[in-house]
Amino acid sequence: MNQVRQASDENALKGTTYTIGELAREFDVTTRSIRFWEDQGLLSPIRIGSKRLYRRRDRARLKLILRGKRLGFTLSEIRETFVLYDQAHGESRQLRYYLGVLEEKRRQLMRQRQDLEDALDELSQSYEHCRQLLREQEERETSTNESVSNG
Amino acid sequence: MNQVRQASDENALKGTTYTIGELAREFDVTTRSIRFWEDQGLLSPIRIGSKRLYRRRDRARLKLILRGKRLGFTLSEIRETFVLYDQAHGESRQLRYYLGVLEEKRRQLMRQRQDLEDALDELSQSYEHCRQLLREQEERETSTNESVSNG
DNA sequence: GTTATCGTTGACGTAAACGTAACATATAAA
DNA sequence: TTTATATGTTACGTTTACGTCAACGATAAC
């Protein structure tokens, strides 16, 4: 009877839920990582019996986690944004505080963007320089071949 | 006599050299970190006696290290770029390989830029939403005050 | 001359972010 | 029914990137 109940619960949620394995495959992370992020308060899937079930909201958060990590944020920084976002529907003092945090995050991201543009600039300079060297190399090789075939 | 020799060496390099402490203050990092990055092959200052002396090239690398870190690269990834850059004046095979690596780095940075733009977009949406809520709050408070002063 | 400052090496400690191993349970497939 | 596969918990291991002493040498300031 318990098992029947569980099955119907699962069916009632079907279509917008994922197992831990599905998410792990989709985003190419280990299930261990997903559970770890839950431990750290970044995810809160519902439970069907002992199993975790992830809904759209959890999936969205997973995306945010991965993006945050790619941008070099720590897990606790990422969690902080979640917590703030959840709390930001309260009184004006909370809202003001949240606005301040958002501005700080923005400054951080803007700085990162500048770093990124600088890095991309330097990269394309290196690229051009490298191609130039390569052209010179190939010219030399060509002329060597000619002198060989002419000799 | 040894000491006199050292002093003149230092003078001969003056104007474009830095001590470890100077760099640490300028970039707001610890001397421990700077020595650690040297251990990891990211820096190679010259020695005057037992002391390290950093030249313009070292300072430039320090900047690159810090930028790389802000962008979320590991120390070995950063070192890799240094090594490649130093080797990239060789034969055409090396050059081709280097070009490939550069393209890979570029893809990585482009992805990061996309992440960054996405994050900035969401951030400003949050920001606007938050300000909207705040305006509503304040309107309510104002009307409350009016009804008080009118009562 | 000693006190303070700056620098050196070396060893050990630590927080973050997982990986790995061990073992249990549950469900699907053969 | 056995086997394979997915999932769960717990505990310990590992890597990265430093921090934190400790113990010492050289140099400048008083």
Side-chain angles (χ1 to χ4, degrees):
Chain A
M1 163 98 182
N2 248 340
Q3 315 222 350
V4 174
R5 181 60 174 281
Q6 282 187 19
S8 72
D9 279 356
E10 287 189 38
N11 284 333
L13 294 166
K14 263 288 170 56
T16 45
T17 64
Y18 314 85
T19 69
I20 193 169
E22 285 168 359
L23 288 183
R25 268 185 300 275
E26 176 176 1
F27 294 105
D28 194 28
V29 298
T30 66
T31 58
R32 177 69 182 86
S33 299
I34 296 180
R35 286 189 211 103
F36 180 74
W37 297 332
E38 180 181 346
D39 276 358
Q40 303 301 307
L42 295 173
L43 293 172
S44 40
I46 58 177
R47 294 283 185 139
I48 301 295
S50 72
K51 288 188 184 169
R52 296 162 170 84
L53 252 195
Y54 300 81
R55 308 191 64 178
R56 284 206 317 280
R57 167 201 161 91
D58 301 306
R59 207 186 92 120
R61 287 208 160 180
L62 226 177
K63 278 190 190 178
L64 291 176
I65 292 171
L66 294 176
R67 195 181 65 194
K69 284 174 62 57
R70 283 196 301 271
L71 291 172
F73 292 105
T74 67
L75 292 186
S76 46
E77 284 171 325
I78 297 170
R79 178 183 48 219
E80 206 186 333
T81 68
F82 290 170
V83 172
L84 281 171
Y85 187 83
D86 285 347
Q87 287 181 343
H89 306 285
E91 358 140 19
S92 50
R93 265 185 47 197
Q94 285 249 355
L95 287 173
R96 276 183 227 284
Y97 174 69
Y98 188 41
L99 277 178
V101 175
L102 284 181
E103 278 176 13
E104 178 56 33
K105 286 276 170 198
R106 202 178 102 91
R107 266 191 290 278
Q108 196 177 345
L109 287 179
M110 295 294 272
R111 160 132 219 207
Q112 226 169 315
R113 184 158 73 173
Q114 186 59 53
D115 284 337
L116 228 159
E117 298 300 334
D118 291 350
L120 274 169
D121 282 355
E122 274 178 31
L123 199 146
S124 62
Q125 280 180 30
S126 282
Y127 194 84
E128 286 313 316
H129 180 210
C130 198
R131 294 204 54 163
Q132 178 61 29
L133 287 175
L134 201 53
R135 267 194 297 276
E136 291 171 11
Q137 280 278 354
E138 278 166 359
E139 261 180 44
R140 236 168 297 157
E141 283 170 18
T142 303
S143 63
T144 303
N145 286 345
E146 277 169 8
S147 66
V148 165
S149 62
N150 285 345
Chain B
M1 163 96 179
N2 249 341
Q3 316 221 349
V4 175
R5 180 60 172 283
Q6 281 188 20
S8 71
D9 279 354
E10 286 191 38
N11 285 335
L13 294 166
K14 263 285 171 56
T16 45
T17 64
Y18 314 84
T19 69
I20 193 170
E22 285 167 358
L23 287 183
R25 269 185 300 276
E26 176 175 1
F27 293 105
D28 194 29
V29 296
T30 65
T31 58
R32 176 70 182 87
S33 299
I34 295 180
R35 286 191 211 100
F36 181 74
W37 296 333
E38 180 181 344
D39 276 359
Q40 304 301 306
L42 296 173
L43 293 172
S44 41
I46 58 176
R47 296 283 184 138
I48 301 297
S50 73
K51 288 186 183 169
R52 293 164 171 84
L53 251 195
Y54 299 81
R55 308 193 62 179
R56 282 204 320 278
R57 167 200 161 92
D58 302 305
R59 206 185 93 122
R61 288 209 159 180
L62 226 177
K63 278 190 188 179
L64 290 176
I65 292 171
L66 294 175
R67 194 181 67 193
K69 283 174 63 57
R70 282 195 302 272
L71 290 173
F73 292 104
T74 67
L75 293 186
S76 45
E77 285 172 324
I78 297 171
R79 178 185 47 220
E80 206 186 332
T81 68
F82 291 170
V83 171
L84 281 172
Y85 187 83
D86 286 348
Q87 288 180 344
H89 307 284
E91 0 139 17
S92 50
R93 267 185 46 198
Q94 285 248 353
L95 287 173
R96 276 182 226 283
Y97 174 70
Y98 187 42
L99 276 177
V101 175
L102 284 181
E103 277 175 15
E104 179 55 34
K105 285 277 169 197
R106 201 177 104 92
R107 267 190 289 276
Q108 194 177 347
L109 287 179
M110 296 292 273
R111 160 134 218 203
Q112 223 169 317
R113 183 158 74 174
Q114 187 59 54
D115 284 338
L116 226 160
E117 298 301 335
D118 290 350
L120 274 170
D121 281 355
E122 272 179 33
L123 199 146
S124 62
Q125 280 181 30
S126 284
Y127 194 84
E128 286 314 315
H129 180 211
C130 197
R131 295 204 54 162
Q132 178 61 28
L133 287 175
L134 201 54
R135 268 194 298 275
E136 291 171 11
Q137 279 278 355
E138 279 166 359
E139 263 179 42
R140 237 168 296 159
E141 284 169 18
T142 304
S143 65
T144 305
N145 288 343
E146 277 169 8
S147 65
V148 165
S149 61
N150 286 345

mmCIF file of all heavy atoms in Angstrom, chain B residues 62-95:
data_model
loop_
_atom_site.group_PDB
_atom_site.id
_atom_site.type_symbol
_atom_site.label_atom_id
_atom_site.label_comp_id
_atom_site.label_asym_id
_atom_site.label_seq_id
_atom_site.Cartn_x
_atom_site.Cartn_y
_atom_site.Cartn_z
ATOM 1 N N LEU B 62 52.877 38.745 -12.506
ATOM 2 C CA LEU B 62 52.067 38.815 -11.290
ATOM 3 C C LEU B 62 50.664 39.330 -11.635
ATOM 4 O O LEU B 62 49.654 38.786 -11.188
ATOM 5 C CB LEU B 62 52.741 39.733 -10.281
ATOM 6 C CG LEU B 62 52.824 39.222 -8.860
ATOM 7 C CD1 LEU B 62 53.568 40.193 -7.967
ATOM 8 C CD2 LEU B 62 51.457 38.960 -8.296
ATOM 9 N N LYS B 63 50.620 40.368 -12.440
ATOM 10 C CA LYS B 63 49.321 40.894 -12.871
ATOM 11 C C LYS B 63 48.513 39.817 -13.577
ATOM 12 O O LYS B 63 47.316 39.645 -13.330
ATOM 13 C CB LYS B 63 49.522 42.074 -13.830
ATOM 14 C CG LYS B 63 49.796 43.397 -13.163
ATOM 15 C CD LYS B 63 49.737 44.511 -14.209
ATOM 16 C CE LYS B 63 50.201 45.842 -13.630
ATOM 17 N NZ LYS B 63 50.165 46.922 -14.638
ATOM 18 N N LEU B 64 49.179 39.090 -14.459
ATOM 19 C CA LEU B 64 48.479 38.038 -15.203
ATOM 20 C C LEU B 64 47.986 36.944 -14.266
ATOM 21 O O LEU B 64 46.892 36.405 -14.435
ATOM 22 C CB LEU B 64 49.412 37.444 -16.262
ATOM 23 C CG LEU B 64 49.748 38.370 -17.426
ATOM 24 C CD1 LEU B 64 50.742 37.725 -18.369
ATOM 25 C CD2 LEU B 64 48.481 38.761 -18.180
ATOM 26 N N ILE B 65 48.783 36.622 -13.275
ATOM 27 C CA ILE B 65 48.374 35.618 -12.300
ATOM 28 C C ILE B 65 47.090 36.058 -11.609
ATOM 29 O O ILE B 65 46.110 35.320 -11.527
ATOM 30 C CB ILE B 65 49.476 35.388 -11.248
ATOM 31 C CG1 ILE B 65 50.694 34.713 -11.878
ATOM 32 C CG2 ILE B 65 48.945 34.545 -10.091
ATOM 33 C CD1 ILE B 65 51.901 34.647 -10.962
ATOM 34 N N LEU B 66 47.083 37.300 -11.145
ATOM 35 C CA LEU B 66 45.928 37.789 -10.392
ATOM 36 C C LEU B 66 44.692 37.846 -11.284
ATOM 37 O O LEU B 66 43.592 37.493 -10.860
ATOM 38 C CB LEU B 66 46.244 39.166 -9.805
ATOM 39 C CG LEU B 66 47.348 39.142 -8.740
ATOM 40 C CD1 LEU B 66 47.696 40.538 -8.275
ATOM 41 C CD2 LEU B 66 46.940 38.269 -7.576
ATOM 42 N N ARG B 67 44.881 38.286 -12.519
ATOM 43 C CA ARG B 67 43.729 38.330 -13.417
ATOM 44 C C ARG B 67 43.219 36.925 -13.692
ATOM 45 O O ARG B 67 42.013 36.672 -13.667
ATOM 46 C CB ARG B 67 44.109 39.013 -14.733
ATOM 47 C CG ARG B 67 42.911 39.394 -15.541
ATOM 48 C CD ARG B 67 43.313 40.034 -16.845
ATOM 49 N NE ARG B 67 43.980 39.076 -17.710
ATOM 50 C CZ ARG B 67 44.645 39.418 -18.800
ATOM 51 N NH1 ARG B 67 44.765 40.686 -19.137
ATOM 52 N NH2 ARG B 67 45.197 38.499 -19.568
ATOM 53 N N GLY B 68 44.154 36.019 -13.931
ATOM 54 C CA GLY B 68 43.763 34.636 -14.170
ATOM 55 C C GLY B 68 42.967 34.080 -13.005
ATOM 56 O O GLY B 68 41.952 33.410 -13.191
ATOM 57 N N LYS B 69 43.407 34.399 -11.804
ATOM 58 C CA LYS B 69 42.703 33.897 -10.636
ATOM 59 C C LYS B 69 41.306 34.507 -10.536
ATOM 60 O O LYS B 69 40.335 33.822 -10.235
ATOM 61 C CB LYS B 69 43.513 34.192 -9.381
ATOM 62 C CG LYS B 69 44.711 33.243 -9.187
ATOM 63 C CD LYS B 69 45.561 33.633 -8.029
ATOM 64 C CE LYS B 69 44.840 33.556 -6.720
ATOM 65 N NZ LYS B 69 44.297 32.201 -6.452
ATOM 66 N N ARG B 70 41.221 35.803 -10.809
ATOM 67 C CA ARG B 70 39.900 36.428 -10.764
ATOM 68 C C ARG B 70 38.950 35.779 -11.765
ATOM 69 O O ARG B 70 37.744 35.748 -11.565
ATOM 70 C CB ARG B 70 40.012 37.929 -11.049
ATOM 71 C CG ARG B 70 40.512 38.734 -9.854
ATOM 72 C CD ARG B 70 40.253 40.217 -10.068
ATOM 73 N NE ARG B 70 40.888 40.745 -11.272
ATOM 74 C CZ ARG B 70 42.116 41.213 -11.324
ATOM 75 N NH1 ARG B 70 42.868 41.251 -10.239
ATOM 76 N NH2 ARG B 70 42.620 41.682 -12.459
ATOM 77 N N LEU B 71 39.513 35.285 -12.847
ATOM 78 C CA LEU B 71 38.688 34.641 -13.862
ATOM 79 C C LEU B 71 38.452 33.164 -13.551
ATOM 80 O O LEU B 71 37.835 32.454 -14.336
ATOM 81 C CB LEU B 71 39.334 34.784 -15.238
ATOM 82 C CG LEU B 71 39.317 36.205 -15.804
ATOM 83 C CD1 LEU B 71 40.122 36.289 -17.083
ATOM 84 C CD2 LEU B 71 37.882 36.653 -16.067
ATOM 85 N N GLY B 72 38.965 32.714 -12.433
ATOM 86 C CA GLY B 72 38.670 31.354 -12.011
ATOM 87 C C GLY B 72 39.600 30.293 -12.565
ATOM 88 O O GLY B 72 39.311 29.097 -12.486
ATOM 89 N N PHE B 73 40.739 30.692 -13.137
ATOM 90 C CA PHE B 73 41.681 29.697 -13.620
ATOM 91 C C PHE B 73 42.522 29.164 -12.470
ATOM 92 O O PHE B 73 42.775 29.865 -11.486
ATOM 93 C CB PHE B 73 42.592 30.300 -14.685
ATOM 94 C CG PHE B 73 41.878 30.635 -15.952
ATOM 95 C CD1 PHE B 73 41.564 31.945 -16.264
ATOM 96 C CD2 PHE B 73 41.494 29.632 -16.829
ATOM 97 C CE1 PHE B 73 40.879 32.256 -17.433
ATOM 98 C CE2 PHE B 73 40.817 29.939 -17.994
ATOM 99 C CZ PHE B 73 40.512 31.248 -18.297
ATOM 100 N N THR B 74 42.951 27.919 -12.588
ATOM 101 C CA THR B 74 43.839 27.368 -11.577
ATOM 102 C C THR B 74 45.264 27.829 -11.860
ATOM 103 O O THR B 74 45.580 28.300 -12.952
ATOM 104 C CB THR B 74 43.819 25.829 -11.594
ATOM 105 O OG1 THR B 74 44.409 25.381 -12.818
ATOM 106 C CG2 THR B 74 42.409 25.302 -11.493
ATOM 107 N N LEU B 75 46.115 27.661 -10.872
ATOM 108 C CA LEU B 75 47.501 28.073 -11.038
ATOM 109 C C LEU B 75 48.171 27.290 -12.162
ATOM 110 O O LEU B 75 48.965 27.847 -12.918
ATOM 111 C CB LEU B 75 48.263 27.873 -9.729
ATOM 112 C CG LEU B 75 47.834 28.775 -8.577
ATOM 113 C CD1 LEU B 75 48.744 28.584 -7.383
ATOM 114 C CD2 LEU B 75 47.813 30.236 -9.001
ATOM 115 N N SER B 76 47.840 26.040 -12.300
ATOM 116 C CA SER B 76 48.518 25.267 -13.348
ATOM 117 C C SER B 76 48.024 25.677 -14.739
ATOM 118 O O SER B 76 48.785 25.648 -15.701
ATOM 119 C CB SER B 76 48.369 23.765 -13.125
ATOM 120 O OG SER B 76 47.069 23.423 -12.790
ATOM 121 N N GLU B 77 46.777 26.088 -14.832
ATOM 122 C CA GLU B 77 46.303 26.610 -16.111
ATOM 123 C C GLU B 77 47.040 27.890 -16.464
ATOM 124 O O GLU B 77 47.438 28.114 -17.611
ATOM 125 C CB GLU B 77 44.791 26.861 -16.059
ATOM 126 C CG GLU B 77 43.949 25.598 -16.118
ATOM 127 C CD GLU B 77 42.473 25.871 -15.864
ATOM 128 O OE1 GLU B 77 42.149 26.746 -15.032
ATOM 129 O OE2 GLU B 77 41.641 25.200 -16.480
ATOM 130 N N ILE B 78 47.231 28.720 -15.471
ATOM 131 C CA ILE B 78 47.945 29.974 -15.702
ATOM 132 C C ILE B 78 49.395 29.693 -16.100
ATOM 133 O O ILE B 78 49.923 30.278 -17.038
ATOM 134 C CB ILE B 78 47.889 30.854 -14.440
ATOM 135 C CG1 ILE B 78 46.431 31.224 -14.129
ATOM 136 C CG2 ILE B 78 48.724 32.106 -14.616
ATOM 137 C CD1 ILE B 78 46.235 31.891 -12.799
ATOM 138 N N ARG B 79 50.006 28.764 -15.369
ATOM 139 C CA ARG B 79 51.389 28.414 -15.698
ATOM 140 C C ARG B 79 51.501 27.899 -17.127
ATOM 141 O O ARG B 79 52.413 28.233 -17.871
ATOM 142 C CB ARG B 79 51.906 27.353 -14.727
ATOM 143 C CG ARG B 79 53.330 26.909 -15.056
ATOM 144 C CD ARG B 79 53.770 25.784 -14.152
ATOM 145 N NE ARG B 79 52.728 24.773 -14.069
ATOM 146 C CZ ARG B 79 52.396 24.135 -12.964
ATOM 147 N NH1 ARG B 79 53.043 24.397 -11.847
ATOM 148 N NH2 ARG B 79 51.441 23.226 -12.952
ATOM 149 N N GLU B 80 50.510 27.093 -17.494
ATOM 150 C CA GLU B 80 50.506 26.527 -18.840
ATOM 151 C C GLU B 80 50.585 27.622 -19.904
ATOM 152 O O GLU B 80 51.350 27.527 -20.854
ATOM 153 C CB GLU B 80 49.212 25.726 -19.007
ATOM 154 C CG GLU B 80 49.273 24.619 -20.014
ATOM 155 C CD GLU B 80 47.875 24.014 -20.181
ATOM 156 O OE1 GLU B 80 47.077 24.070 -19.216
ATOM 157 O OE2 GLU B 80 47.574 23.520 -21.277
ATOM 158 N N THR B 81 49.799 28.661 -19.713
ATOM 159 C CA THR B 81 49.825 29.748 -20.697
ATOM 160 C C THR B 81 51.205 30.396 -20.742
ATOM 161 O O THR B 81 51.698 30.735 -21.808
ATOM 162 C CB THR B 81 48.776 30.826 -20.369
ATOM 163 O OG1 THR B 81 49.146 31.510 -19.180
ATOM 164 C CG2 THR B 81 47.404 30.210 -20.197
ATOM 165 N N PHE B 82 51.852 30.537 -19.597
ATOM 166 C CA PHE B 82 53.195 31.125 -19.571
ATOM 167 C C PHE B 82 54.167 30.251 -20.348
ATOM 168 O O PHE B 82 54.930 30.728 -21.190
ATOM 169 C CB PHE B 82 53.688 31.275 -18.128
ATOM 170 C CG PHE B 82 52.957 32.317 -17.336
ATOM 171 C CD1 PHE B 82 53.144 32.427 -15.965
ATOM 172 C CD2 PHE B 82 52.089 33.218 -17.950
ATOM 173 C CE1 PHE B 82 52.473 33.393 -15.223
ATOM 174 C CE2 PHE B 82 51.418 34.180 -17.216
ATOM 175 C CZ PHE B 82 51.620 34.264 -15.851
ATOM 176 N N VAL B 83 54.128 28.967 -20.022
ATOM 177 C CA VAL B 83 55.052 28.035 -20.659
ATOM 178 C C VAL B 83 54.868 28.067 -22.173
ATOM 179 O O VAL B 83 55.821 28.165 -22.936
ATOM 180 C CB VAL B 83 54.831 26.609 -20.126
ATOM 181 C CG1 VAL B 83 55.619 25.601 -20.942
ATOM 182 C CG2 VAL B 83 55.230 26.530 -18.658
ATOM 183 N N LEU B 84 53.599 27.994 -22.590
ATOM 184 C CA LEU B 84 53.334 27.991 -24.029
ATOM 185 C C LEU B 84 53.833 29.266 -24.679
ATOM 186 O O LEU B 84 54.465 29.248 -25.732
ATOM 187 C CB LEU B 84 51.836 27.833 -24.268
ATOM 188 C CG LEU B 84 51.319 26.411 -24.142
ATOM 189 C CD1 LEU B 84 49.815 26.383 -24.200
ATOM 190 C CD2 LEU B 84 51.919 25.549 -25.242
ATOM 191 N N TYR B 85 53.565 30.365 -24.015
ATOM 192 C CA TYR B 85 53.971 31.631 -24.579
ATOM 193 C C TYR B 85 55.486 31.690 -24.753
ATOM 194 O O TYR B 85 55.996 32.170 -25.760
ATOM 195 C CB TYR B 85 53.505 32.783 -23.683
ATOM 196 C CG TYR B 85 53.750 34.122 -24.302
ATOM 197 C CD1 TYR B 85 52.851 34.649 -25.218
ATOM 198 C CD2 TYR B 85 54.900 34.840 -24.000
ATOM 199 C CE1 TYR B 85 53.082 35.868 -25.815
ATOM 200 C CE2 TYR B 85 55.138 36.062 -24.595
ATOM 201 C CZ TYR B 85 54.233 36.570 -25.489
ATOM 202 O OH TYR B 85 54.474 37.774 -26.095
ATOM 203 N N ASP B 86 56.204 31.148 -23.767
ATOM 204 C CA ASP B 86 57.662 31.165 -23.846
ATOM 205 C C ASP B 86 58.180 30.258 -24.961
ATOM 206 O O ASP B 86 59.216 30.517 -25.554
ATOM 207 C CB ASP B 86 58.258 30.716 -22.500
ATOM 208 C CG ASP B 86 58.118 31.798 -21.447
ATOM 209 O OD1 ASP B 86 57.781 32.937 -21.814
ATOM 210 O OD2 ASP B 86 58.345 31.508 -20.255
ATOM 211 N N GLN B 87 57.436 29.179 -25.223
ATOM 212 C CA GLN B 87 57.924 28.208 -26.201
ATOM 213 C C GLN B 87 57.528 28.556 -27.634
ATOM 214 O O GLN B 87 57.996 27.938 -28.570
ATOM 215 C CB GLN B 87 57.364 26.820 -25.872
ATOM 216 C CG GLN B 87 57.992 26.186 -24.643
ATOM 217 C CD GLN B 87 57.400 24.831 -24.384
ATOM 218 O OE1 GLN B 87 56.341 24.508 -24.922
ATOM 219 N NE2 GLN B 87 58.066 24.033 -23.569
ATOM 220 N N ALA B 88 56.652 29.535 -27.769
ATOM 221 C CA ALA B 88 55.982 29.715 -29.053
ATOM 222 C C ALA B 88 56.841 30.390 -30.113
ATOM 223 O O ALA B 88 56.325 30.943 -31.061
ATOM 224 C CB ALA B 88 54.693 30.496 -28.865
ATOM 225 N N HIS B 89 58.157 30.354 -29.963
ATOM 226 C CA HIS B 89 58.987 30.981 -30.977
ATOM 227 C C HIS B 89 59.802 29.928 -31.717
ATOM 228 O O HIS B 89 60.890 30.212 -32.217
ATOM 229 C CB HIS B 89 59.894 32.020 -30.318
ATOM 230 C CG HIS B 89 59.128 33.003 -29.488
ATOM 231 N ND1 HIS B 89 58.399 34.027 -30.057
ATOM 232 C CD2 HIS B 89 58.936 33.092 -28.163
ATOM 233 C CE1 HIS B 89 57.805 34.727 -29.093
ATOM 234 N NE2 HIS B 89 58.106 34.174 -27.930
ATOM 235 N N GLY B 90 59.258 28.730 -31.801
ATOM 236 C CA GLY B 90 60.021 27.622 -32.362
ATOM 237 C C GLY B 90 59.643 27.267 -33.784
ATOM 238 O O GLY B 90 59.410 28.132 -34.624
ATOM 239 N N GLU B 91 59.519 25.994 -34.017
ATOM 240 C CA GLU B 91 59.239 25.509 -35.355
ATOM 241 C C GLU B 91 57.726 25.550 -35.615
ATOM 242 O O GLU B 91 56.947 25.801 -34.722
ATOM 243 C CB GLU B 91 59.753 24.074 -35.509
ATOM 244 C CG GLU B 91 60.412 23.522 -34.263
ATOM 245 C CD GLU B 91 60.041 22.075 -34.006
ATOM 246 O OE1 GLU B 91 59.544 21.421 -34.939
ATOM 247 O OE2 GLU B 91 60.255 21.622 -32.881
ATOM 248 N N SER B 92 57.380 25.213 -36.831
ATOM 249 C CA SER B 92 55.978 25.382 -37.212
ATOM 250 C C SER B 92 55.066 24.388 -36.496
ATOM 251 O O SER B 92 53.901 24.683 -36.255
ATOM 252 C CB SER B 92 55.833 25.236 -38.726
ATOM 253 O OG SER B 92 56.473 24.066 -39.171
ATOM 254 N N ARG B 93 55.589 23.219 -36.158
ATOM 255 C CA ARG B 93 54.722 22.275 -35.440
ATOM 256 C C ARG B 93 54.323 22.828 -34.083
ATOM 257 O O ARG B 93 53.161 22.778 -33.699
ATOM 258 C CB ARG B 93 55.436 20.930 -35.267
ATOM 259 C CG ARG B 93 55.117 19.953 -36.389
ATOM 260 C CD ARG B 93 55.728 18.593 -36.127
ATOM 261 N NE ARG B 93 55.505 18.127 -34.775
ATOM 262 C CZ ARG B 93 56.204 17.157 -34.183
ATOM 263 N NH1 ARG B 93 57.179 16.574 -34.849
ATOM 264 N NH2 ARG B 93 55.939 16.783 -32.954
ATOM 265 N N GLN B 94 55.314 23.365 -33.388
ATOM 266 C CA GLN B 94 55.027 24.010 -32.109
ATOM 267 C C GLN B 94 54.011 25.135 -32.304
ATOM 268 O O GLN B 94 53.084 25.290 -31.526
ATOM 269 C CB GLN B 94 56.319 24.601 -31.526
ATOM 270 C CG GLN B 94 57.259 23.578 -30.956
ATOM 271 C CD GLN B 94 57.355 23.715 -29.439
ATOM 272 O OE1 GLN B 94 56.808 24.651 -28.870
ATOM 273 N NE2 GLN B 94 58.032 22.775 -28.810
ATOM 274 N N LEU B 95 54.233 25.912 -33.339
ATOM 275 C CA LEU B 95 53.351 27.051 -33.578
ATOM 276 C C LEU B 95 51.916 26.591 -33.821
ATOM 277 O O LEU B 95 50.965 27.169 -33.308
ATOM 278 C CB LEU B 95 53.856 27.865 -34.772
ATOM 279 C CG LEU B 95 55.103 28.691 -34.490
ATOM 280 C CD1 LEU B 95 55.624 29.335 -35.769
ATOM 281 C CD2 LEU B 95 54.817 29.768 -33.446
#
